[in-house]
């Protein structure tokens, strides 16, 4: 059974940093796409970033390019999202998601991911 468990959320002032983690268990075999999504209050869920576990290729939403970095530690089966220069508009529930397919053109689409974590709240105050 695949399980994704996020951690690292919290409250921070604008300009600050947070690092989210997503521990993956029960997922073995071929490489796949992993992503971070967020659900801001009163808005729809949106993609933040994705990474293909095979090549390490990364993808970012325009709103976070240059501020956020997605990475993976294969030895620890953990996905990370380093968030710098945080803004109030980054406030949201953040979710990690996994595979089973390579990222490709569908990396930003929630429907392309079969497995989801429970989410971790990030709140950025001005």
């Amino acid at each position: 059974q695949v399980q994704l468990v996020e951690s690292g959320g919290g409250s921070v002032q604008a300009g600050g940093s947070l690092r989210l983690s997503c521990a993956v268990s029960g997922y073995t075999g071929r490489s796949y796409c992993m992503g971070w999504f967020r659900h801001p209050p009163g808005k729809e869920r949106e993609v933040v970033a994705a990474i293909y576990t095979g090549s390490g290729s990364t993808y970012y939403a325009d709103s976070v390019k240059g501020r956020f970095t997605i990475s993976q530690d294969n030895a620890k089966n953990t996905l990370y999202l380093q968030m710098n220069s945080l803004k109030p508009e980054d406030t949201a529930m953040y979710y990690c998601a996994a595979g089973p397919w390579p990222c490709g053109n569908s990396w930003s689409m929630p429907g392309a991911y079969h497995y989801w974590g429970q989410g971790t709240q990030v709140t950025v105050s001005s």
Side-chain angles (χ1 to χ4, degrees):
Q1 182 178 358
V2 177
Q3 287 190 321
L4 308 177
V5 180
E6 302 98 332
S7 61
S11 297
V12 65
Q13 289 193 327
S17 298
L18 284 173
R19 188 177 80 157
L20 305 184
S21 300
C22 174
V24 183
S25 61
Y27 208 149
T28 60
R30 64 182 181 275
S31 301
Y32 51 93
C33 194
M34 289 203 69
W36 286 99
F37 287 77
R38 65 187 182 188
H39 195 169
K43 298 183 180 180
E44 294 188 356
R45 181 175 47 180
E46 60 186 21
V47 70
V48 175
I51 186 169
Y52 178 49
T53 62
S55 65
S57 296
T58 57
Y59 309 79
Y60 293 95
D62 289 343
S63 59
V64 305
K65 280 181 181 177
R67 300 189 299 124
F68 291 11
T69 302
I70 189 171
S71 63
Q72 58 179 345
D73 185 331
N74 291 332
K76 296 182 179 179
N77 291 327
T78 301
L79 179 73
Y80 300 101
L81 184 68
Q82 178 66 44
M83 305 186 295
N84 299 328
S85 302
L86 282 162
K87 305 175 181 180
E89 51 264 42
D90 294 319
T91 294
M93 184 73 80
Y94 283 71
Y95 300 89
C96 69
W101 313 114
C103 294
N105 293 330
S106 60
W107 69 273
S108 63
M109 300 170 61
Y113 300 84
H114 287 195
Y115 307 101
W116 292 81
Q118 83 289 348
T120 185
Q121 178 67 38
V122 171
T123 302
V124 184
S125 58
S126 57

